[in-house]
Amino acid sequence: MKCHSSHTNKRNISDGKIKILLMGNPNVGKSVIFSKLTGVHVNSSNYAGTTVDYTIGDVSFGRQCGVMIDVPGVYTLDAISEAEKVAVNLLKEGADVIVCVLDATHLERNLDLAFQLKEYDIPIVYSLNLVDVAKRQGINIDVEKLSQELGAPVIPTIAIKNKGLIEILRAAMKLAEEECVPGSKLTDEERWDKIRDIVAKVQTRVQKKKVTFIEVLEDKTIQPWPGIPLALLVLAISLGVVVGGGKALRAVVLLPLVKDIIQPALTNLVSLVVPEGVFRNLLVGDYGILVIGIEWPLALILPYVFLFYVVFSFLEDSGYMPRIAVLADGVLRRMGIHGGNIIPLMLGYGCAVPAILGSRVANSYKERIIIAALVSFAIPCASQSAAFFALLGDRSIPALVFVYLLSVLVGLAVGTIVNRIVPGKSQPMLLEVPNLLWPDKDAFKKKIKLRMKNFLIDAEGPMMIGIVVASVIAETGILNEFSKLIEPLVEGWLGLPKEASLSLLLGIIRRELAVLPLLELDLNMLQLVVGSVIALFYLPCLSVFGVLTKEFSLKVSLLIVVATTTTAFLFGGVINQVGRLILGAM
Amino acid sequence: MMPLAFGNKRSKYRVVKLPDSHLLKALGLRKGTEFTLESKHPFKGPVVVKVGCRCIAIDYDVARDILVEEV
């Protein structure tokens, strides 16, 4: 690739901004570089017509401004997988410069993409990242020589420590002014031969003296023993952080804030302005919009969702998640999905919507149906879990454990059944297991911020609608009419007080709303368990229904709705009847 | 020569024959690639191999179709 200076003819500098594509293999530290170079305004977008999301941020260097696009990580530009198609499309749309991130510990494979990028007429600057890790592993790369071979600047970087990043930006901004002649097209074999030659020329390896702790950990976590017990321990700790931390946040900070400061203040204020009656009750009654509308989302749900995303992002960014995938593969295969799908399933414990959308990447229709069924049926989302913790956590830990155990057992059954009845093939697992590393602070913060933002936009809206509906039907007496209608089901079969029908009504809107109204009722242990089990399997929320319909079909989503609701009433009723028999006999 | 799925942990192998898979190639597993078998998993779980400094988990059934020889 030969580049020469030219000040005309720049296609992509629209509104004066330079367009930079950040590209590279997966797991090479691309996102870390992205979060270090971009400012506060970062947005995640979906690439039209695909399932792949990419992130855009603003960058500036001196007086030059630009936008940087974090292109999904790919190994090649064959345009076979969804991510590759997006990468190729973004390249075809054109850009002023590419920053291509190379992993110094795996130069040979990374150069494959590097050479494929050279076939486009966009200047490239290479970031040779992870040079510190490579050095520790005894790998030495002659940057000068590599730069000559690639015909483009190569800058060694340690993204996580901010080393070399300014140089990358400087080189990128300079190259963006230049024009570029695409390199000649090579066949796969020619390219691989060339890469082998180059690696032989630029890379030297020395035998390392000692094995580091992190390498021992990397090895142990990928062996069945002690990897599986370790993974269970990690998951238990994660759960402890979310449940314990969430409870502490709620009890120490949020509940006092809401109950002692915000709610009394609002109640007083409203009492001053609004005369006594239905309207005042609507606002600040027991189910008043301003009472539960603030307490439920802020004090009950938010702490758990936040901590869930902290833990989940940590497992993701540390490179531990793919190890769980490897360990879980044997079990998930029984359900017709490969181990890699543990990631959308775990994400489902946060929210079902991204879990179902996330399952689109590199999966067959059959696998996606299995994942969607599992997530809708048996995986409680973070909001729902938060409601369970609030309902059962203070009363009975065994009951809480029972509900989650039941969810896992039903999940296994659902997976096995759907695998049997849905025709089609499942993909085999082929997965790179990245090195373990301590997540970068900036990238981590940005990720959580983005996830929380999405949660607030996607979830709090419907939740507020649910709460408004709750207030209206509870405070106006509509609820009593509905309760009478379904009394035989609620009181007779399920053994719950008739007010619990509010849960069933609201559960249609959001999953946690099937649980939260139970908090306000004075329930005995058996009723609590029955209520929780119903809420666990009850309808997926409105947003999930929408996603299921969009992703599959109305038929599939209706089928899932009927199946989950039937399961909910079946299990809830059976537990109630059996529980009464046992309690009566005692 | 034998299928990768029957290999032993910690042994070194070279790929002799492998199915034509886009992803296998992309992950750096080609004819002649040398690697170490890192771990095998119960219930026909994946075979994990180390190519250079990177680990790749390969589905059991795919690992049965990859023929390797010990180095």
Side-chain angles (χ1 to χ4, degrees):
Chain A
M1 181 173 60
K2 287 189 178 63
C3 295
H4 57 85
S5 219
S6 142
H7 291 283
T8 52
N9 204 6
K10 295 307 290 185
R11 293 152 301 153
N12 303 295
I13 306 180
S14 55
D15 59 20
K17 283 182 173 175
I18 293 167
K19 185 168 161 194
I20 307 168
L21 295 181
L22 182 65
M23 305 190 71
N25 282 189
N27 307 313
V28 294
K30 211 160 52 65
S31 302
V32 175
I33 295 183
F34 179 79
S35 65
K36 300 261 183 196
L37 289 182
T38 52
V40 280
H41 297 292
V42 172
N43 276 303
S44 153
S45 337
N46 180 264
Y47 197 85
T50 71
T51 55
V52 180
D53 288 335
Y54 64 97
T55 332
I56 301 181
D58 283 335
V59 291
S60 60
F61 182 78
R63 269 175 303 150
Q64 287 167 297
C65 288
V67 286
M68 182 174 265
I69 299 175
D70 190 2
V71 182
V74 290
Y75 296 110
T76 70
L77 295 175
D78 294 342
I80 292 176
S81 76
E82 290 254 310
E84 287 166 3
K85 280 179 201 157
V86 171
V88 171
N89 282 341
L90 284 168
L91 277 167
K92 283 187 180 156
E93 282 172 18
D96 298 299
V97 59
I98 297 170
V99 173
C100 174
V101 186
L102 304 172
D103 174 358
T105 66
H106 212 300
L107 189 60
E108 186 161 345
R109 202 194 57 210
N110 280 249
L111 283 179
D112 208 13
L113 180 70
F115 271 93
Q116 291 185 41
L117 285 176
K118 280 166 60 91
E119 290 169 13
Y120 291 82
D121 56 350
I122 306 170
I124 311 177
V125 49
Y126 294 95
S127 151
L128 186 65
N129 198 26
L130 301 170
V131 283
D132 53 337
V133 182
K135 205 168 179 187
R136 273 209 299 277
Q137 292 179 348
I139 299 170
N140 230 318
I141 294 167
D142 189 330
V143 175
E144 200 75 20
K145 258 191 208 161
L146 182 60
S147 172
Q148 277 169 19
E149 295 288 345
L150 287 168
V154 176
I155 295 164
T157 53
I158 308 171
I160 201 154
K161 289 182 186 150
N162 266 325
K163 288 206 176 125
L165 297 185
I166 294 297
E167 289 79 358
I168 290 282
L169 210 51
R170 180 181 297 135
M173 292 297 189
K174 189 166 164 276
L175 277 180
E177 309 275 318
E178 295 178 3
E179 267 195 36
C180 172
V181 181
S184 52
K185 215 165 160 50
L186 302 169
T187 65
D188 285 353
E189 275 71 24
E190 285 168 352
R191 199 171 60 242
W192 294 337
D193 285 345
K194 196 167 179 182
I195 289 169
R196 205 167 298 153
D197 284 351
I198 293 177
V199 171
K201 267 190 239 169
V202 303
Q203 180 176 292
T204 48
R205 299 181 78 145
V206 288
Q207 209 58 43
K208 307 176 289 159
K209 289 132 270 172
K210 62 173 191 183
V211 184
T212 59
F213 172 70
I214 200 107
E215 281 167 320
V216 174
L217 205 60
E218 274 168 2
D219 180 60
K220 296 292 179 208
T221 48
I222 203 88
Q223 308 292 344
W225 173 264
I228 292 174
L230 268 174
L232 293 176
L233 184 71
V234 168
L235 293 180
I237 293 172
S238 309
L239 190 68
V241 170
V242 175
V243 178
K247 218 171 150 177
L249 262 181
R250 188 157 69 90
V252 178
V253 186
L254 294 168
L255 267 186
L257 179 74
V258 170
K259 289 253 179 203
D260 300 338
I261 300 174
I262 301 180
Q263 278 176 2
L266 283 174
T267 310
N268 287 338
L269 194 72
V270 170
S271 305
L272 283 178
V273 185
V274 183
E276 226 168 297
V278 177
F279 197 58
R280 190 201 281 187
N281 283 346
L282 262 183
L283 289 175
V284 292
D286 282 346
Y287 274 104
I289 296 165
L290 294 177
V291 174
I292 50 176
I294 288 173
E295 183 186 332
W296 284 356
L298 186 68
L300 293 183
I301 306 300
L302 203 68
Y304 294 106
V305 173
F306 171 71
L307 286 170
F308 172 83
Y309 281 126
V310 168
V311 169
F312 187 86
S313 308
F314 182 84
L315 292 179
E316 216 175 26
D317 283 11
S318 60
Y320 188 64
M321 205 63 107
R323 287 157 206 274
I324 300 181
V326 170
L327 297 169
D329 186 58
V331 174
L332 291 195
R333 270 170 63 105
R334 314 283 120 193
M335 298 196 267
I337 48 178
H338 69 71
N341 287 310
I342 193 84
I343 297 167
L345 290 184
M346 282 176 64
L347 194 55
Y349 281 97
C351 176
V353 173
I356 294 169
L357 290 177
S359 74
R360 276 204 251 166
V361 185
N363 269 315
S364 65
Y365 183 79
K366 177 187 174 126
E367 290 162 287
R368 284 170 48 207
I369 289 267
I370 295 172
I371 293 164
L374 281 173
V375 171
S376 317
F377 248 97
I379 296 183
C381 68
S383 310
Q384 203 181 2
S385 288
F388 284 139
F389 302 153
L391 184 68
L392 296 174
D394 301 331
R395 292 283 296 272
S396 164
I397 297 296
L400 190 62
V401 174
F402 170 79
V403 169
Y404 278 86
L405 221 54
L406 188 66
S407 77
V408 172
L409 289 179
V410 170
L412 287 172
V414 167
T416 317
I417 294 168
V418 178
N419 184 24
R420 290 269 166 81
I421 55 176
V422 177
K425 272 188 73 159
S426 301
Q427 308 263 323
M429 173 186 229
L430 276 175
L431 185 81
E432 183 185 351
V433 185
N435 297 332
L436 286 178
L437 52 90
W438 196 254
D440 176 69
K441 211 171 61 207
D442 295 331
F444 190 63
K445 270 196 224 153
K446 270 192 188 169
K447 193 173 214 169
I448 289 173
K449 204 172 129 190
L450 205 61
R451 282 193 159 142
M452 286 311 288
K453 196 171 102 186
N454 288 341
F455 169 77
L456 289 174
I457 294 169
D458 296 340
E460 291 301 311
M463 183 145 178
M464 285 310 288
I465 295 170
I467 287 165
V468 170
V469 172
S471 307
V472 171
I473 58 180
E475 301 291 345
T476 54
I478 300 175
L479 183 62
N480 286 333
E481 297 301 312
F482 178 73
S483 298
K484 261 184 231 148
L485 208 69
I486 59 167
E487 208 176 286
L489 177 70
V490 175
E491 286 194 330
W493 172 241
L494 301 172
L496 296 172
K498 65 179 187 331
E499 293 82 8
S501 52
L502 180 63
S503 288
L504 299 180
L505 264 185
L506 294 183
I508 300 172
I509 301 172
R510 277 194 56 83
R511 283 167 146 195
E512 71 273 20
L513 292 181
V515 188
L516 291 172
L518 300 177
L519 273 174
E520 319 288 330
L521 304 174
D522 189 23
L523 300 180
N524 65 32
M525 209 54 241
L526 183 61
Q527 290 174 320
L528 282 178
V529 174
V530 171
S532 304
V533 168
I534 293 167
L536 173 69
F537 297 118
Y538 197 54
L539 296 177
C541 68
L542 270 185
S543 336
V544 175
F545 187 80
V547 168
L548 286 173
T549 310
K550 204 176 98 211
E551 289 296 292
F552 303 103
S553 64
L554 189 62
K555 202 177 117 195
V556 169
S557 53
L558 284 176
L559 215 63
I560 286 181
V561 165
V562 170
T564 50
T565 313
T566 316
T567 315
F569 290 131
L570 188 72
F571 274 78
V574 167
I575 289 169
N576 172 47
Q577 304 296 339
V578 173
R580 274 173 189 229
L581 273 182
I582 295 171
L583 289 176
M586 277 197 302
Chain B
M1 207 163 66
M2 63 168 177
L4 170 60
F6 304 150
N8 295 317
K9 207 171 116 174
R10 306 271 181 237
S11 298
K12 280 199 158 142
Y13 298 96
R14 182 185 301 121
V15 178
V16 180
K17 201 164 167 256
L18 78 172
D20 186 28
S21 153
H22 158 72
L23 197 55
L24 274 178
K25 268 189 251 168
L27 286 167
L29 220 59
R30 298 168 197 143
K31 203 179 156 186
T33 306
E34 288 184 16
F35 62 86
T36 317
L37 202 163
E38 279 289 304
S39 70
K40 288 167 68 166
H41 292 264
F43 305 118
K44 297 195 175 170
V47 178
V48 180
V49 301
K50 195 167 196 175
V51 188
C53 300
R54 286 276 172 151
C55 284
I56 301 163
I58 303 168
D59 181 84
Y60 184 87
D61 290 334
V62 177
R64 243 181 1 199
D65 290 344
I66 300 177
L67 294 179
V68 296
E69 57 185 8
E70 199 154 352
V71 182

